[in-house]
Amino acid sequence: MAPETSQFESSEMLATFLASTPLLEESWRLCSHANAAAQRSFAVNVVGQVAYVAFSAVQMVESGRNLVELERCGRGILGSFPCHVEGKKAVMVDGGLLQLFLSFYSSQAFQNKISEIFSTSKSVVLAGHSLGGGVASLSALWLLSHIRTTTTKSSPTVFCITYGSPMLGNEPFSQAVLQDRWGGNFCHIVAQHDIVPRLPFASSFPLDVERLRGLFVQLALQLSDENKAELFDKVLASRFGPAAGDDQERSWYWPFGSYMICTDKGAVCLDNGTAIVKLLYLMLAEGSANSCIDDHLKYEDYVSKVCLQYLQKRRLFEVSSSESSSESGIALALQSSRISSHQEPVFGTAVICLATARQLGWRRNLNTAKMAVSLSKINPFRAELEWYKTYCDRSDDQLGYYDSFKRRGASKRDFKVNMNRLRLGCFWDDVIYKLEKNQLAHDFHKLPKYVNASQFYKLLVEPLEIAEYYRTGVHREKGHYVEHGREKRFKIFDRWWGDRKVGDEESKPRSKYASLTQDSCFWAKVEEARDLIYNVTRETDPGRHLLLLDKIQKFEQYANGMIERKEVSVDVLAKNSSYNLFREEWSGLKSQLQLLPSQFPGFQDGMVQ
């Protein structure tokens, strides 16, 4: 019988890696230093080529527990990070934590230090205790977004570790992190009874707690026993426990990334939101009003114990050798969580919760394996499109691949080509759907097989998507393709291709034209340039007229560069292609404008001045 997969998949491997390296101890040591410094401070320490940045837990927030829309309050700082998730509500984050992050972001000293770290380090680890963890998470998202928009390949890796941090955003926020494939960049360390990560689930707090929220680490011990008990009871009575049921409305707040829930017996590691929430409740239920406060201040003890236990590779003594690796893993996780079989019905609920998390992790690997089979099954459709392109490029009508499809008739061949286009689109849409639902391996988007396959699909099929868009006249209603009609899958594949490791062979000049035009949106830009020529001939405003001419000229320079570098396919240069029609129309327009220099003084010798 084949061995079973890791019980809790990538989250378990991540926890093992963290506990067996200096990352946990170094990041917590710096968090302690930041906590002892001034309010709203941060600390930096560089160890070799790893830079650690820790944010103080002692922070003052102006607002209470309020979620705000990232699109409205985020100032666009997170770049292309989604502000809405398809089929979900708006992406929202805690307003107080967002304001804290923005106060750091607006500091020139902070910006200078981050810039210095980025230029000298290979890895950046952001960390924070309590509210400092929320600032660290938002800082990590900001840096990840920044890396995505830069063209350099030498950007450092970014990782975030939080200790006892309150939850940051809603479920769409968690989904957006998964959608951008950043879940593996975050690990949240939570002590078994720590109340702070569970606070957002409570519907209301005692007044003293609302006042102390911003300075919890410093003032928590000043809470009276009565307030501690009231706080503990309110969180336990909230809807985030198993009694709420999966079908009832979820809390506004929702976990993201991986969670390492620590006890003095070990740690449980999960990355499934539902399982995390349930286990947080079950473990808190075994605590007390005092322990829920004390645990928030004992992370140094938990970090040292977890590291020691992982390095010693503790084994479960109560599991017989006849049990499967799945059952052994669940039993070990239960022992680490300090939930025993004598604690019914908590024990039974915890077993179901951990088994479900294990199954979800196993299904990701299974789905990834199945996806390889599905990819092989669509290869014939792709091969038929390649044959069609070769046929069009050699055809006597000299239209080329793009224009032949755009002007296609009702033949059986044309129908089959269009059906293959749709079939391939459905396959890749299913890939994106499974990725966004966290149903594929965390590193799926980095696997060379799928990065290369998606890039080839994009270069081969997107010209057909563009042709269909303009053939059917959709651009007249929605606007031009690049801005208004491009499918999400192509934008995602752009990111995959941009994030890959580039070899030296890709920088060598081409000796012949590419088999596929290397800018999959080339034909959309041709169509837009032709439309600009049409608009120029009807524009009466001189200023607007020169602006249109400038856009056409920039496209001409871009297209000439593509051709000189041989980054276009031969269909671009076909005699009757849309690109050659653009060249003829643009040449004719320049001739007309040179005959009317007094009307358009900004256009001389075919150039916009």
Side-chain angles (χ1 to χ4, degrees):
M1 183 176 177
E4 296 183 59
T5 55
S6 175
Q7 285 75 37
F8 301 103
E9 302 303 331
S10 57
S11 57
E12 179 72 19
M13 292 187 289
L14 172 63
T16 303
F17 168 73
L18 289 176
S20 60
T21 65
L23 287 174
L24 284 180
E25 292 180 323
E26 289 289 346
S27 61
W28 174 253
R29 186 179 296 114
L30 198 61
C31 284
S32 299
H33 178 73
N35 289 348
Q39 182 180 328
R40 293 198 177 186
S41 63
F42 68 96
V44 177
N45 185 36
V46 179
V47 181
Q49 294 182 314
V50 180
Y52 294 85
V53 182
F55 298 88
S56 171
V58 185
Q59 308 282 355
M60 180 65 74
V61 292
E62 298 178 359
S63 61
R65 299 171 305 124
N66 295 310
L67 285 171
V68 298
E69 292 186 15
L70 187 60
E71 183 177 33
R72 183 169 56 87
C73 302
R75 303 183 190 173
I77 290 172
L78 299 187
S80 61
F81 184 75
C83 291
H84 293 85
V85 179
E86 188 174 354
K88 299 281 186 179
K89 297 178 181 178
V91 171
M92 304 179 77
V93 296
D94 185 277
L97 293 175
L98 180 60
Q99 288 303 314
L100 280 177
F101 164 69
L102 291 175
S103 69
F104 282 95
Y105 178 83
S106 60
S107 165
Q108 192 60 49
F110 177 70
Q111 292 278 354
N112 292 342
K113 180 57 70 172
I114 293 296
S115 178
E116 176 187 336
I117 288 172
F118 253 54
S119 63
T120 58
S121 304
K122 286 190 174 181
S123 298
V124 178
V125 178
L126 298 124
H129 177 211
S130 195
L131 295 183
V135 179
S137 294
L138 286 169
S139 298
L141 286 174
W142 164 53
L143 293 179
L144 288 167
S145 300
H146 172 73
I147 290 172
R148 172 184 290 172
T149 57
T150 57
T151 56
T152 176
K153 295 296 180 182
S154 59
S155 297
T157 58
V158 175
F159 190 73
C160 178
I161 305 174
T162 71
Y163 299 90
S165 173
M167 291 191 183
L168 180 57
N170 60 354
E171 190 174 5
F173 170 79
S174 176
Q175 188 67 31
V177 173
L178 284 175
Q179 180 177 311
D180 278 354
R181 311 306 296 160
W182 290 339
N185 295 78
F186 296 86
C187 184
H188 308 284
I189 315 298
V190 177
Q192 58 180 337
H193 301 146
D194 185 357
I195 196 73
V196 172
R198 284 102 164 172
L199 284 179
F201 294 112
S203 57
S204 62
F205 294 160
L207 181 60
D208 288 350
V209 176
E210 287 286 7
R211 290 202 305 266
L212 296 180
R213 179 175 181 265
L215 298 166
F216 200 92
V217 174
Q218 188 176 27
L219 303 175
L221 296 178
Q222 297 181 16
L223 283 174
S224 66
D225 290 341
E226 181 180 350
N227 272 348
K228 288 180 182 179
E230 183 181 359
L231 173 63
F232 184 71
D233 291 341
K234 281 186 177 295
V235 174
L236 277 183
S238 63
R239 292 178 297 175
F240 87 104
D246 292 335
D247 296 331
Q248 293 192 22
E249 182 183 356
R250 289 175 171 172
S251 164
W252 282 359
Y253 289 83
W254 199 249
F256 73 99
S258 296
Y259 270 66
M260 182 191 291
I261 308 175
C262 302
T263 72
D264 58 359
K265 295 291 186 181
V268 182
C269 315
L270 301 167
D271 61 7
N272 175 264
T274 301
I276 291 168
V277 169
K278 287 187 176 181
L279 201 61
L280 285 175
Y281 177 87
L282 292 172
M283 294 178 72
L284 179 65
E286 300 303 311
S288 66
N290 285 322
S291 67
C292 76
I293 303 297
D294 295 342
D295 263 10
H296 190 63
L297 309 176
K298 292 170 58 178
Y299 278 93
E300 183 172 358
D301 295 339
Y302 284 115
V303 167
S304 60
K305 287 179 181 178
V306 166
C307 291
L308 179 62
Q309 288 158 352
Y310 268 89
L311 289 174
Q312 292 176 339
K313 298 182 179 179
R314 293 182 74 249
R315 296 184 178 274
L316 184 65
F317 298 107
E318 299 176 356
V319 179
S320 68
S321 59
S322 62
E323 291 180 299
S324 71
S325 64
S326 175
E327 293 168 336
S328 300
I330 293 171
L332 180 58
L334 288 168
Q335 186 192 51
S336 297
S337 68
R338 297 186 64 88
I339 297 175
S340 71
S341 58
H342 304 296
Q343 297 169 285
E344 289 290 354
V346 172
F347 179 80
T349 304
V351 169
I352 295 173
C353 170
L354 292 170
T356 301
R358 191 266 172 189
Q359 291 169 3
L360 290 172
W362 175 77
R363 285 173 189 165
R364 282 198 289 265
N365 281 352
L366 181 60
N367 287 339
T368 302
K370 288 182 176 179
M371 197 59 68
V373 177
S374 298
L375 181 63
S376 66
K377 289 182 178 179
I378 66 165
N379 281 339
F381 305 143
R382 189 183 73 178
E384 289 178 8
L385 290 186
E386 291 181 74
W387 174 87
Y388 175 76
K389 182 182 186 304
T390 302
Y391 170 82
C392 293
D393 291 346
R394 295 176 179 176
S395 177
D396 293 337
D397 58 19
Q398 300 188 55
L399 285 171
Y401 178 53
Y402 172 79
D403 286 281
S404 293
F405 186 76
K406 182 181 176 184
R407 303 184 191 184
R408 71 184 185 276
S411 69
K412 183 177 180 180
R413 180 191 62 214
D414 292 333
F415 174 81
K416 191 172 184 179
V417 168
N418 193 42
M419 287 303 298
N420 288 342
R421 172 183 71 88
L422 296 173
R423 287 178 182 134
L424 290 170
C426 287
F427 168 80
W428 287 108
D429 281 342
D430 184 55
V431 170
I432 300 303
Y433 174 82
K434 284 184 168 62
L435 276 172
E436 293 180 351
K437 294 297 182 182
N438 201 23
Q439 296 176 8
L440 294 172
H442 286 284
D443 62 345
F444 182 91
H445 64 300
K446 296 181 180 179
L447 298 176
K449 174 189 292 186
Y450 299 102
V451 173
N452 293 331
S454 63
Q455 174 70 0
F456 190 87
Y457 160 76
K458 185 184 69 171
L459 298 181
L460 178 67
V461 178
E462 190 163 17
L464 304 185
E465 299 282 351
I466 297 168
E468 184 68 9
Y469 190 82
Y470 285 95
R471 168 189 168 89
T472 55
V474 179
H475 64 290
R476 298 189 188 96
E477 299 176 5
K478 295 176 61 176
H480 284 290
Y481 175 86
V482 174
E483 186 174 352
H484 302 286
R486 199 176 189 214
E487 293 286 349
K488 180 173 67 175
R489 73 179 91 99
F490 296 119
K491 300 174 184 178
I492 292 174
F493 297 156
D494 281 344
R495 293 205 299 265
W496 291 8
W497 190 249
D499 292 341
R500 80 197 187 286
K501 292 183 178 180
V502 180
D504 294 336
E505 67 280 358
E506 294 192 33
S507 60
K508 296 179 180 179
R510 295 177 180 272
S511 59
K512 60 181 180 179
Y513 289 112
S515 59
L516 295 167
T517 300
Q518 297 302 289
D519 181 355
S520 61
C521 287
F522 178 85
W523 291 108
K525 296 172 183 177
V526 170
E527 296 284 3
E528 192 165 351
R530 292 187 67 194
D531 193 49
L532 289 172
I533 292 175
Y534 176 84
N535 291 333
V536 162
T537 60
R538 287 155 180 77
E539 182 59 58
T540 57
D541 179 77
R544 173 68 177 164
H545 195 277
L546 290 176
L547 179 62
L548 294 175
L549 291 173
D550 183 56
K551 290 182 178 180
I552 299 171
Q553 185 176 309
K554 287 180 178 178
F555 168 76
E556 181 186 36
Q557 293 170 350
Y558 148 82
N560 287 340
M562 291 279 291
I563 294 170
E564 288 173 7
R565 295 188 299 272
K566 299 187 183 300
E567 293 177 354
V568 298
S569 173
V570 292
D571 65 322
V572 170
L573 304 177
K575 180 180 179 181
N576 297 318
S577 71
S578 291
Y579 175 69
N580 266 331
L581 289 178
F582 158 78
R583 293 177 62 183
E584 292 172 6
E585 292 163 357
W586 178 224
S587 177
L589 178 61
K590 287 191 287 187
S591 297
Q592 293 177 25
L593 295 175
Q594 288 170 357
L595 295 175
L596 303 169
S598 59
Q599 288 184 252
F600 303 103
F603 188 88
Q604 297 177 6
D605 299 323
M607 300 290 289
V608 177
Q609 303 297 316

